[in-house]
Amino acid sequence: MSVDRRTLLRAAGAVGATAIGASAAHAAGCDIGPPAHDKGPLVWMNLDQIELDAAYDQATYAPTLGQILKRYATSSEEVRKRLGPPKRFSYGSTPVEGMDVYPAKNPNAPVFVFIHGGAWLRGEAKEYGYPAELFVNAGATYIALDFTGIGAAQGDLRVMAKQVRSGIAWAYKNIASYGGDPNRFYIGGHSSGGHLCGVALVTDWEKEFGLPPTFIKAGMCMSGMYDLKPVRLSKRSSYVKFDDDMEASMSTQRHLDKLRVPVVVTYGTFETPEFQRQSRDFVAAVKAAGKPVELVEAPSYNHFEMCETLGNPYGPNGRAALRMMGIG
């Protein structure tokens, strides 16, 4: 049966129209950003309360959040099948104060400690095992920290920061016993973990833990928050019990005089406007303070995709981490 050119073009047009219609329908169900509303009084910069709340709620800018979080878990399980289960160690007196250690195959390996995110509310080390394969294959030891959530901490970020600091200190003091090189010790964190990573980087380690002030050789703050004033004004204050001391002490950007090591700051251009601004402003402040800093802006990645790229040697976070450690 012969088919003329006009018939083929009509058929192709129909298929194209159907595809475009399906795409439009899909997009209609995946709204990005704050809901449509009448502009209210400004609360922070040019943002009203609805816009500010959305700017500190990554789910409003990442419609595939659920799928990506499931991949964190399934990818971590697959990595454990290939590498074997991590070594589990406690660094404190409560059950949550522990860490998963994925040791390098070679002795005296550099070490990367990862601080997970989850809006300070949730997250477990086992869900963040997937980057281990990248580090182990590159000859490094990977550690994922567990620590309390903000609910158990009675809304106090200082409790969470204290645990994270204690976990980092324990890892540094003990990692040589498990094949790690304490002279090549690095930390990183994503999202609320990026915030806690920043706080760790401006800790007075000598005063609080009796450790060398520069035992951390560099830090990688991924998609984090570095000044908590706008966060305090957002809906996150419904579960973080902010006071003036917490806002000040937990704002890394206000303590750059204590920053003693290089920092890498990363974010994706599909993240919320505030997470993007926080990263840029933090880098500008570090530069103004005369401290070494690198900014990695990743086009077309949302917040959760950025975290996922820590497990990819060719992704923005994976590549930056290996370069920071001098093993990429």
Side-chain angles (χ1 to χ4, degrees):
M1 182 179 65
S2 62
V3 179
D4 63 25
R5 181 172 178 272
R6 184 174 297 176
T7 301
L8 283 173
L9 289 173
R10 282 200 301 267
V15 170
T18 301
I20 292 169
S23 297
H26 177 71
C30 294
D31 295 330
I32 302 295
H37 66 288
D38 294 328
K39 187 82 170 185
L42 300 185
V43 176
W44 172 254
M45 295 188 171
N46 65 334
L47 304 176
D48 66 15
Q49 191 65 60
I50 290 174
E51 293 161 345
L52 182 63
D53 288 347
Y56 285 98
D57 178 2
Q58 289 291 350
T60 62
Y61 286 81
T64 58
L65 159 63
Q67 292 174 259
I68 299 170
L69 293 183
K70 287 179 182 177
R71 281 205 302 268
Y72 289 3
T74 55
S75 296
S76 295
E77 284 296 326
E78 290 300 315
V79 164
R80 283 188 284 271
K81 289 177 184 177
R82 291 190 289 270
L83 296 183
K87 297 179 184 296
R88 182 72 179 179
F89 299 104
S90 296
Y91 64 84
S93 58
T94 64
V96 76
E97 293 174 273
M99 62 184 72
D100 289 350
V101 178
Y102 297 82
K105 298 170 186 176
N106 48 295
N108 300 315
V111 180
F112 185 89
V113 178
F114 179 71
I115 307 160
H116 70 72
W120 298 305
L121 286 165
R122 61 188 72 86
E124 296 179 82
K126 68 178 182 180
E127 299 163 350
Y128 294 89
Y130 63 87
E133 196 165 25
L134 174 145
F135 290 96
V136 171
N137 286 346
T141 288
Y142 173 79
I143 299 175
L145 280 185
D146 269 320
F147 47 92
T148 195
I150 196 68
Q154 305 299 311
D156 194 341
L157 291 173
R158 291 162 293 200
V159 174
M160 300 178 71
K162 183 178 180 180
Q163 288 189 359
V164 167
R165 288 166 170 151
S166 295
I168 292 169
W170 189 96
Y172 171 73
K173 291 175 181 178
N174 291 276
I175 198 60
S177 301
Y178 306 102
D181 182 357
N183 295 312
R184 292 187 290 167
F185 191 93
Y186 303 83
I187 68 171
H190 176 262
S191 191
S192 56
H195 161 259
L196 292 167
C197 178
V199 170
L201 290 171
V202 295
T203 297
D204 188 337
W205 292 102
E206 193 169 22
K207 178 181 177 181
E208 296 187 33
F209 293 89
L211 297 177
T214 58
F215 79 90
I216 298 170
K217 299 310 176 188
M220 187 167 161
C221 296
M222 299 169 262
S223 307
M225 297 161 283
Y226 313 104
D227 191 301
L228 296 188
K229 181 177 179 62
V231 188
R232 184 178 183 179
L233 296 172
S234 80
K235 66 180 181 180
R236 291 199 185 204
S237 62
S238 65
Y239 59 85
V240 179
K241 306 307 179 186
F242 284 107
D243 56 30
D244 290 346
D245 176 76
M246 190 193 306
E247 178 190 322
S249 65
M250 294 288 102
S251 291
T252 302
Q253 197 164 311
R254 305 185 197 182
H255 303 281
L256 296 181
D257 57 308
K258 298 178 182 177
L259 180 63
R260 300 176 185 272
V261 299
V263 186
V264 178
V265 179
T266 73
Y267 74 92
T269 63
F270 282 7
E271 302 202 39
T272 80
E274 272 294 279
F275 273 76
Q276 295 187 52
R277 182 198 62 77
Q278 285 257 8
S279 296
R280 291 192 298 267
D281 285 4
F282 180 50
V283 169
V286 175
K287 285 182 177 178
K291 308 293 177 74
V293 63
E294 176 189 353
L295 177 64
V296 176
E297 180 186 80
S300 304
Y301 283 91
N302 72 32
H303 187 73
F304 304 97
E305 291 165 342
M306 280 298 289
C307 188
E308 198 170 29
T309 70
L310 186 60
N312 181 354
Y314 307 109
N317 278 334
R319 189 187 297 274
L322 296 179
R323 185 172 63 248
M324 176 183 73
M325 299 173 72
I327 56 177

